[in-house]
Amino acid sequence: MKGKSIWTGMIMSVIVASGLVSCADNALLDGDKKAADYSAMQKSTLPTVYIDTENGLAVDSKETSVGASVRIIADGELNPMSSAKIRGRGNSTWRLDKKPYRIEFEKKEYFGGPENAHAKKWVLLANHADKTMLRNNTAFFIADRLGQQFVPCSRFVDLVMNDKYLGTYEISDFLQIKKDRINAGGLGFFVEADGSYLNEKTYFFSEKGIPFTIKDPDGEKMWPQQIQYIKDYIQKFENILFSEDYLDPVSGYRALVDSTSFVTWFLTNEFTANIDSYWSANIYRDETDDRLYFGPVWDFDIAFNNCNRMGDVSEKMMMAAGFGRNLIGIWLKRMWSDPWFRQLAYRTWQQARSNGLVSATVAHIDEMVRYIDSSQQLNYSVWDIGIRNYNEMYLFDNYTDGVNFLKDFIEKRAVFMDNTLALAQTEPDAPVFNSNPFKPQNWYYNFMDEVDQWLVESDGNQVYLARRDQSKSIEECWRIVPNSDNSAFMIVDRQNGLAITDNSDIPGTGIILQKADENNISQWWQILDYYAFWTIRNCRTGFILKHPVPSDEKIVTDTDTPENRSLNNFKWHIMLAEPI
């Protein structure tokens, strides 16, 4: 069952209130009013969602819900809905200023529109890390064109909470087993290969070390035997996938995977260059057969080259370069070694291309830009479009430039996909599993640790970690100077021209800043790919950069061992900051 309103817009107003709708709007909801009265409550041409929490309580928790009742205004008519509860949602996005939310109604409602699911649970996506606010919507459109069985719906609205306008939001499906969502039947199950498993209460690991969280049925309400059944089923698939006869069409993994959902899920993630593709992967089993289904696709706000932690991924395959390539990416690499799968991916991609996938996607974006135009203008009167909210790759002075970047990326990425999938038919390893050497651009960079996600700063005397601070952008910026063959680099602070130097031969000693000197080998560092992160290794001592404990201490170096490299306090993100 596909979400039906991915690429079309219907003007309606939605008002969500707790108990009673507040202030001036309260009178409009009582008694008979003219359509013009309700239309006047719309903030833009989009639907408008009003949320007034019980006693004005803030929605500041992902665990604790706040009671609410719901009314919808559509085409000048008031349609009361059942009472509801609202709470926060998301992992990284919940930490941003513009928050995403989850709503659960007392009764089933068509909150996403009558053409979509009739359900109690829904989400409001903030899209704060995506300046176009269209990346999720666009990816859903692509997944639908490619043939994913169920694609989440996408309904844009304006959101007002407790009389405060919060911006443009996107109503979408809560992912669950349900006839008009993930139609897996009452005996099916829905899991996520989940790099953020520690945020969940019910999880397990496969023997390859891949963490899975149980999404549906609710893991907290399941019997231990039910959890073990799901765990055993996933392990059975993994065992067959890594068996000697895994290529056999009958006894191998192909008999246990739905090829349509798998290849369309794979192509959606790779075409959009979704670096979270294999960090968070949805998989379910339909009760009617023994196969695993891949999908629904989800979470594309940092896709389409919109994450500076990974650098430019325009010409990189996500199963080789994205986050989670050492998680569910292990499965993908094994499947990619099967000529049958590579041929299936190539044929499916060619068919989609011949059916106008790229031109249709660009036209869809243009349509959505027109549809949300008045809303996005209002959104960016509240939120500054020119600042980095998360880890956006590039910043633009205006909305149009950001949209043009998105469309340009899609057209260029399609050519990369053409060439890569064609080459893979004869050289499966060449386009995918080459090492990913660091190649600096003519930009200043930020260095961010994996433990606290603080930035490396220089005060002219020492190097330390500090919370990101827009007012201290100069102190947080570093120039990466390569040698002639990009095998080593000097890391020079923007403010003073001082280079990070490791002069000590004792592990655990703090690094220092010295005047940049290309003849000083203590100032040269290797930047080595370690799955989704970078290891930073000094060329003289061989020690690697280490996150200090506590975080406000000076940064140190320590011995380079496989165990240390695997620890989070030796993992670093290197992110584009601003052009030089």
Side-chain angles (χ1 to χ4, degrees), residues 31-44:
D32 296 328
K33 296 292 176 182
K34 297 179 180 179
D37 293 329
Y38 296 124
S39 298
M41 295 169 62
Q42 289 185 207
K43 293 293 183 179
S44 72

Side-chain angles (χ1 to χ4, degrees), residues 88-353:
R89 66 166 306 279
N91 292 316
S92 299
T93 53
W94 178 244
R95 297 196 295 265
L96 304 183
D97 291 336
K98 185 183 176 189
K99 306 290 187 185
Y101 300 102
R102 172 178 160 182
I103 293 178
E104 182 172 357
F105 296 99
E106 183 180 23
K107 299 178 181 179
K108 294 179 181 179
E109 303 288 357
Y110 289 106
F111 191 54
E115 67 274 35
N116 291 307
H118 190 218
K120 294 181 180 180
K121 298 177 181 180
W122 297 87
V123 298
L124 282 163
L125 305 177
N127 292 318
H128 201 40
D130 170 18
K131 294 298 196 297
T132 70
M133 298 182 287
L134 294 176
R135 280 175 164 81
N136 278 306
N137 176 279
T138 302
F140 295 163
F141 176 85
I142 290 169
D144 183 76
R145 291 278 301 202
L146 286 169
Q148 269 275 296
Q149 280 91 331
F150 167 71
V151 178
C153 74
S154 173
R155 178 64 55 79
F156 288 100
V157 298
D158 292 306
L159 177 61
V160 179
M161 183 177 294
N162 293 333
D163 300 320
K164 182 179 180 180
Y165 173 74
L166 297 185
T168 306
Y169 276 70
E170 182 180 5
I171 294 175
S172 193
D173 291 283
F174 175 80
L175 300 185
Q176 62 181 152
I177 294 176
K178 194 176 180 300
K179 185 176 181 180
D180 46 8
R181 284 179 170 162
I182 302 173
N183 189 12
L187 298 179
F189 63 80
F190 169 36
V191 298
E192 178 183 354
D194 190 356
S196 299
Y197 66 93
L198 290 176
N199 294 326
E200 304 293 336
K201 294 181 179 179
T202 307
Y203 59 85
F204 63 88
F205 288 85
S206 73
E207 292 179 4
K208 291 292 184 181
I210 303 171
F212 290 87
T213 55
I214 300 175
K215 297 299 183 180
D216 203 356
D218 187 339
E220 295 182 61
K221 298 179 181 179
M222 296 175 69
W223 292 98
Q225 297 92 325
Q226 293 175 292
I227 296 175
Q228 189 62 46
Y229 169 79
I230 294 174
K231 182 178 179 180
D232 290 345
Y233 205 92
I234 294 295
Q235 191 57 56
K236 173 187 174 182
F237 178 81
E238 183 177 272
N239 290 344
I240 292 174
L241 177 61
F242 286 91
S243 66
E244 290 186 359
D245 61 348
Y246 77 105
L247 295 177
D248 189 286
V250 177
S251 60
Y253 79 96
R254 293 184 216 168
L256 292 178
V257 64
D258 176 74
S259 59
T260 299
S261 68
F262 177 52
V263 75
T264 55
W265 171 85
F266 168 79
L267 289 174
T268 300
N269 284 313
E270 291 293 350
F271 179 36
T272 61
N274 184 10
I275 65 172
D276 274 342
S277 300
Y278 310 119
W279 182 260
S280 171
N282 294 321
I283 302 170
Y284 63 95
R285 185 212 165 192
D286 191 324
E287 68 174 358
T288 62
D289 63 48
D290 291 333
R291 297 175 297 170
L292 291 179
Y293 289 73
F294 282 71
V297 299
W298 189 253
D299 198 6
F300 291 85
D301 54 343
I302 61 174
F304 301 96
N305 224 14
N306 191 41
C307 183
N308 62 9
R309 286 177 291 168
M310 193 60 65
D312 187 356
V313 295
S314 299
E315 297 187 355
K316 293 181 181 179
M317 293 291 281
M318 296 301 96
M319 64 175 161
F323 300 127
R325 59 187 182 271
N326 59 328
L327 300 178
I328 199 67
I330 296 173
W331 282 14
L332 265 294
K333 292 172 186 177
R334 181 69 164 176
M335 295 176 191
W336 186 258
S337 68
D338 183 356
W340 167 84
F341 172 56
R342 297 197 306 275
Q343 293 166 7
L344 176 63
Y346 187 41
R347 289 197 310 270
T348 306
W349 174 254
Q350 283 186 311
Q351 184 63 50
R353 281 286 259 157

